[in-house]
Amino acid sequence: MPYAARLNNVETSAIRELFKLLGKPGIISFAGGFPDAALFDVQGMREAVNKALDEEPGPALQYGASEGYDPLRMQLAQFMAATGIEVKHDGLIVTTGSQQALDLIGKTMIDPGDKVIVEGPTFLATIQCFRLYGADLVSAPVDADGVRVDELERLIEEHKPKLVYLIPTFGNPSGATLSLARRKRVLELAVKHNVLVVEDNPYGDLYFGKAPPPSLLALSSEVPGSRDLIAYCGSLSKVLSPGLRVGWMVAQPELMARCVMCKQFNDAATSTLAQATAAQYLKAGRMPQALDKVRKVYAERADAMGQALRRELGDAVEFTAPQGGLFIWARLTGAGGKIADAGEFAKRAIEQGVAFVPGAPFFAKDADKSTFRLSFATVGIDRILDGVARLGKAL
C-alpha cells in the first residue's frame, strides 16, 4: 500500500515497544513516564465533574470553541499568574494535552528540511512529531544545569533553525533544570537571532524543595523583545490527570491563530466535558493541596532511588539527583570492567525482573548509548529498593 513518504522519517516509540516486555509476572518497572494513579485526587475530580454537569450541563456536553472553554481559560490564566506568568484568558488556547500543542507548532512552523534544534537528550515524542513534518533535527548538549547555552548559540549561528525546542524545568528524560542565568541567555539569543523558542513545561510544578527559576515566558518581561519569540506549552497531565487530556499554549497572536486553524481540522475542540471538569477543579482551589501531596511523595521516592543507586551500583553509574519531576537520568561509566552499554544492561535487567528505558532513543543525533532513564514516580519505596538491588545484580 502506498503510504505517505513522511512516515519514512519516524519509527515506533522504543518506549511503547518496551511496554510489550512488561507482562512478565513480578516485574518492577522504572520505565513509565507517567504519574502515580494512586495519588490522583479522585474525590476532587468526582466533585468537579458532578458540579460541571449540575451547573453547566449544556456547555459541558456540547461542541466547544477550538480556542478552548472560556471558564477553563480564565482558571488557567490565574494558575499561571501564580508562577509569575501574566496572560489574559484569551491569550491562550486549550489543547488536547500539551503534545497536541507541539503537533500544532510542527504543522504551522516546520517545512521539510527545516533545521530545528532540540536538547540532547529530549522528549522522544517531540523528536517523532517534528521529524514527521520533515524537520532536520540538531542536538544541543545538556548538563546538570540544562542546555549548554554556549553550544546552543554556536548551533543557532551555524544552522539558523526555524525554532528551538527546550524543556527547561525537570526535563524528560534528563531531569535537568536550566539555571536562571542560562534562561536569561536563552531569551537574549532568541532576540539576537530572531528565533522562536518552544518552552515545554509539563513538570515545572513538581518541585521537591524550593521552586525552580521562573519560566522563560515569565522571564521574558525582563528581556525586551523576547515575549513574542516564546511559545509556551503547559499541561495538567502530570499534576492533575493524564486522562483529562488538557493542555494549553501561549504564543504571539499570529502563531496562535494559525494553530487554532489547524486545530479546527484536527479535533475541532478539546473535550468540553474534560475542560469543564478541569475548570471546576481549579476553581475549587484543590490544586495546591494536591500538588503538596505529590511533591512530598515523589521527593521521597527520588531520594530513595538515588541513595539505592549509589549503594548498589557505586561508581559504575553517575547521575545528578533531580530537584523535581519524574525521572533520574543516569550514565554507565564502565568502572570496574562493568557493562557500559545501556541497551545490553536493559536486557539483563529484564532477566532480573526490572525494567527501565535505554537512553539512545532520546537523542536526535549522536546518541549516548551509555545513558538510561529511570522513573521513580509510580513505584513505592520498598519496590524501588528491590528494583535497584536487581539492577545491581544485572550490572
Side-chain angles (χ1 to χ4, degrees), residues 138-395:
V138 177
S139 189
V142 171
D143 62 21
D145 292 317
V147 68
R148 287 178 46 194
V149 289
D150 55 340
E151 282 295 301
L152 179 61
E153 180 169 23
R154 182 186 67 79
L155 292 170
I156 291 174
E157 291 174 346
E158 178 182 349
H159 295 284
K160 298 177 174 52
K162 198 70 164 287
L163 60 90
V164 175
Y165 170 80
L166 303 175
I167 311 175
T169 310
F170 315 136
N172 177 7
S174 70
T177 298
L178 193 64
S179 67
L180 179 60
R182 289 189 185 184
R183 288 173 192 246
K184 292 180 179 178
R185 184 60 184 149
V186 166
L187 294 173
E188 292 167 356
L189 291 175
V191 174
K192 179 180 177 181
H193 298 281
N194 192 35
V195 63
L196 178 71
V197 175
V198 178
E199 177 180 20
D200 196 4
N201 189 32
Y203 309 101
D205 290 299
L206 297 178
Y207 53 86
F208 300 156
K210 65 178 181 179
S215 66
L216 295 175
L217 187 60
L219 288 171
S220 65
S221 62
E222 300 180 17
V223 181
S226 64
R227 174 85 182 207
D228 282 350
L229 293 170
I230 300 296
Y232 177 95
C233 304
S235 175
L236 293 181
S237 291
K238 304 303 186 293
V239 297
L240 182 54
S241 162
L244 279 179
R245 306 310 303 134
V246 170
W248 68 95
M249 183 175 74
V250 179
Q252 54 103 333
E254 185 178 0
L255 174 56
M256 294 265 283
R258 291 175 184 270
C259 286
V260 169
M261 178 184 68
C262 289
K263 183 174 171 62
Q264 287 170 351
F265 49 75
N266 184 318
D267 64 359
T270 298
S271 163
T272 48
L273 179 58
Q275 291 186 74
T277 300
Q280 290 288 354
Y281 188 91
L282 292 172
K283 183 179 177 181
R286 295 180 68 111
M287 183 65 89
Q289 183 178 355
L291 281 171
D292 285 345
K293 178 181 179 181
V294 297
R295 287 171 185 153
K296 181 177 183 295
V297 172
Y298 291 160
E300 291 172 348
R301 293 176 181 177
D303 182 63
M305 179 174 280
Q307 291 191 43
L309 285 169
R310 292 189 176 96
R311 181 174 62 252
E312 300 289 348
L313 278 68
D315 62 358
V317 66
E318 59 185 17
F319 63 94
T320 299
Q323 301 304 305
L326 305 178
F327 308 109
I328 288 179
W329 180 247
R331 178 179 172 273
L332 297 170
T333 65
K338 295 183 175 65
I339 191 170
D341 184 303
E344 178 60 31
F345 184 32
K347 295 176 184 176
R348 295 187 186 184
I350 288 286
E351 293 173 358
Q352 294 292 333
V354 62
F356 61 83
V357 184
F362 295 103
F363 291 87
K365 295 277 178 68
D366 303 320
D368 183 348
K369 294 183 179 181
S370 67
T371 57
F372 59 102
R373 190 192 75 177
L374 302 166
S375 175
F376 46 78
T378 60
V379 191
I381 290 178
D382 288 345
R383 297 272 283 173
I384 286 174
L385 299 180
D386 186 6
V388 176
R390 297 183 190 190
L391 290 180
K393 294 177 182 177
L395 191 64

Side-chain angles (χ1 to χ4, degrees), residues 43-119:
Q43 180 59 33
M45 291 291 289
R46 181 179 293 112
E47 292 175 5
V49 70
N50 286 340
K51 199 161 189 179
L53 291 172
D54 287 342
E55 295 184 2
E56 47 197 358
L61 298 175
Q62 185 55 278
Y63 285 115
S66 297
E67 292 85 350
Y69 181 62
D70 266 357
L72 176 60
R73 296 166 85 192
M74 292 175 184
Q75 290 298 325
L76 290 174
Q78 294 179 29
F79 184 62
M80 286 190 288
T83 65
I85 299 174
E86 297 299 327
V87 61
K88 295 181 179 179
H89 82 280
D90 57 0
L92 64 89
I93 62 172
V94 179
T95 58
T96 304
S98 62
Q99 196 159 318
Q100 186 187 49
L102 299 175
D103 182 70
L104 293 173
I105 290 169
K107 277 190 173 78
T108 56
M109 293 295 298
I110 298 173
D111 286 317
D114 280 345
K115 300 280 189 176
V116 172
I117 295 178
V118 299
E119 293 166 299

